[in-house]
Amino acid sequence: MAEIEPYENALDAIPGAHPYPRTSRYHDAEIGIHRRPDGTEVRYTKRRLLPPVEQTGDPDLTQPHTVGAGERPDLLAQRYFGDPDQWWQIADANPVLDPRELTDEAGRVIDIPLAGGFPGGRGDRRV
């Protein structure tokens, strides 16, 4: 029976390939390599960086949204971006540790990133 090559190894053979799809919040994250004592290399994703908090809330970069009863980050992402998997963009635009905090209280005003996101949005703040 033929061996199945692990997914990561198949991507390693393609120059410039990244293990995350373009729409993933980790797409632009740096990939590191850890070498075990036996010389084996283990690839890992380094911390993803977020824009500085002071950039969030900028009316040129975001629009306000008042949370309604029953809303969730994924539903808001579907509404504003057409893709529920982009909820992380809304989380990035607001100073929360847990994305559920965004919508757990009706009436809360949160920031929704405008098209194009934040300048440096994948690079300046660590989480």
Side-chain angles (χ1 to χ4, degrees), residues 30-91:
E30 188 177 347
I31 303 298
I33 298 175
H34 169 74
R35 284 189 176 72
R36 293 180 174 163
D38 67 357
T40 305
E41 292 183 351
V42 178
R43 293 180 182 261
Y44 64 96
T45 302
K46 292 186 177 181
R47 291 182 125 187
R48 187 173 70 94
L49 305 175
L50 297 177
V53 172
E54 58 271 10
Q55 284 187 356
T56 62
D58 184 335
D60 292 335
L61 303 174
T62 63
Q63 61 182 314
H65 173 83
T66 303
V67 174
E71 288 188 318
R72 299 187 324 238
D74 61 327
L75 298 176
L76 293 174
Q78 175 64 38
R79 176 176 168 184
Y80 285 99
F81 309 126
D83 182 354
D85 288 340
Q86 298 301 304
W87 62 266
W88 57 269
Q89 291 191 43
I90 299 170

